[in-house]
Amino acid sequence: MSSHSLFSQGTGFRLGPAECSRTLSARFISGTVKAVRSRDLLVPEKEKRPRGRPVVNSTSINLRLAPDLLAWLDEERAKLDPAPSRPEMIRSILERVREM
């Protein structure tokens, strides 16, 4: 099945005049143009920003806490204004212990 027959079968799409087959969209539909990501076409190489989270000099850890220890941590956080996040509170406790 050619791309022309796809458009003439009542799908609501038409190629239009004969010179239309020379446009980028017509060549893309017919398969003579490979798909290209638009971000590669529009942004110069030196202006591209890296994707994802910024690099930091730290290591992520997964920590499990018993319910009573987690409740204590949340109580201590609630005493501070503004209340720090759980990771921030754990870091501050570790810093205080390290300075002892």
Side-chain angles (χ1 to χ4, degrees), residues 65-77 86 90:
L65 297 175
D68 59 333
L69 188 55
L70 187 59
W72 174 84
L73 181 69
D74 289 337
E75 289 170 11
E76 294 300 311
R77 288 176 47 226
R86 286 177 175 169
I90 293 170

Side-chain angles (χ1 to χ4, degrees), residues 2-67:
S2 74
S3 63
H4 294 287
S5 63
L6 171 72
F7 290 101
S8 61
Q9 291 181 353
T11 58
F13 299 103
R14 298 197 195 294
L15 278 179
E19 64 270 2
C20 186
S21 64
R22 287 184 238 138
T23 65
L24 180 62
S25 59
R27 287 185 286 154
F28 180 76
I29 291 169
S30 67
T32 58
V33 174
K34 300 267 192 247
V36 179
R37 293 179 296 199
S38 62
R39 65 184 166 99
D40 293 337
L41 296 174
L42 302 176
V43 181
E45 190 67 34
K46 65 181 179 180
E47 293 180 22
K48 284 187 180 180
R49 293 185 293 161
R51 300 179 82 180
R53 186 180 175 101
V55 177
V56 292
N57 188 17
S58 64
T59 303
S60 176
I61 62 169
N62 183 14
L63 178 66
R64 292 181 183 267
L65 297 175

